[in-house]
Amino acid sequence: AWVEPMEVPRLTGVVTDLIQALLLLTPTEPPKGDLTKVVAYLEGEVTRGTVDMDARVEYPEIYYENASGRYSLHQVSSMVSGIAPIVLFLKYVVRPGHLFIIEEPESHLDVDNQRKLARALASIVKAGVKVLITTHSDYFVNQLNKLLLLSQISSRRRAARGYSASEVLDPKDMGAYLFCPGDHGSSVEDLKITPDLGIPTTMFTDAH
């Protein structure tokens, strides 16, 4: 029988590092304080169930559990499997002072869940974690802008809109950069963030 040669695509270093980090995760004491609240928010409002791991096997089994049962990640939606690493890293790795890098956190999320994740990431920043993200979503950026604008109103008015102080962003604590592709690579534009307008979003609507 003739066997056709097959090229197996290699995983990028970043993906390999992520898989290795997940496999080597060891359940430890969960975070305390504000990070615990962020995990509870993500599991309660976004995944609608618990994301955790069972270390009683050779490699930890990552699972999702809700009122209907317990499932391996390959049995759940792409939304849950996409958020699962964020939840696990917040539970067992990320602590105040760390740098947390997330590529396109809006992937596989509908608009409502993009907004909720933006609120969660703002709370992570307020808890003392440095967060670096890339995004192509105007919904995600617009939610960040809403959290920036919250700094302009009173705590009573924020509470009336369902927001807490832990979600309020300050322009001086943020940076936004636009990567513009060109003939000889990409240039990086430092976007000006203001308390009244937030992060510019015209790049999402400009047609070239």
Side-chain angles (χ1 to χ4, degrees):
W2 176 258
V3 178
E4 294 262 349
M6 181 178 66
E7 290 289 334
V8 178
R10 295 181 178 180
L11 297 175
T12 65
V14 174
V15 173
T16 303
D17 287 346
L18 173 62
I19 294 173
Q20 181 183 33
L22 289 175
L23 289 176
L24 296 178
L25 272 181
T26 301
T28 57
E29 185 178 355
K32 301 242 182 349
D34 293 333
L35 287 180
T36 301
K37 295 176 184 176
V38 175
V39 170
Y41 175 78
L42 287 173
E43 291 184 327
E45 297 294 329
V46 181
T47 62
R48 304 281 181 175
T50 300
V51 177
D52 217 321
M53 55 197 305
D54 188 345
R56 292 175 297 177
V57 292
E58 183 177 0
Y59 289 106
E61 177 191 0
I62 300 170
Y63 64 87
Y64 169 76
E65 188 170 15
N66 61 14
S68 64
R70 175 169 161 170
Y71 308 93
S72 297
L73 281 192
H74 71 275
Q75 298 175 303
V76 301
S77 69
S78 59
M79 183 274 287
V80 172
S81 61
I83 291 292
I86 295 176
V87 174
L88 287 174
F89 271 70
L90 288 174
K91 282 185 176 181
Y92 301 123
V93 179
V94 176
R95 295 295 181 267
H98 287 179
L99 172 62
F100 195 20
I101 303 175
I102 312 172
E103 182 181 10
E104 297 183 21
E106 74 275 6
S107 297
H108 306 297
L109 297 182
D110 59 27
V111 173
D112 187 45
N113 281 329
Q114 286 186 40
R115 292 169 177 158
K116 290 176 179 177
L117 182 57
R119 295 177 65 172
L121 293 181
S123 295
I124 294 171
V125 171
K126 295 302 288 284
V129 178
K130 300 176 179 68
V131 178
L132 174 63
I133 64 171
T134 62
T135 182
H136 292 93
S137 172
D138 56 337
Y139 296 110
F140 192 86
V141 173
N142 281 328
Q143 181 61 47
L144 293 178
N145 282 340
K146 288 182 181 178
L147 301 177
L148 282 165
L149 295 174
L150 288 176
S151 64
Q152 305 300 300
I153 64 176
S154 67
S155 58
R156 181 180 58 81
R157 292 176 62 192
R158 288 197 298 263
R161 289 166 169 76
Y163 291 92
S164 67
S166 66
E167 299 171 293
V168 181
L169 294 173
D170 191 318
K172 67 179 176 60
D173 296 327
M174 296 180 63
Y177 307 91
L178 176 65
F179 285 71
C180 307
D183 295 335
H184 303 288
S186 295
S187 61
V188 182
E189 179 184 349
D190 188 352
L191 301 176
K192 183 178 180 181
I193 302 175
T194 64
D196 297 325
L197 298 176
I199 303 168
T201 58
T202 54
M203 76 288 288
F204 294 111
T205 56
D206 288 345
H208 298 284

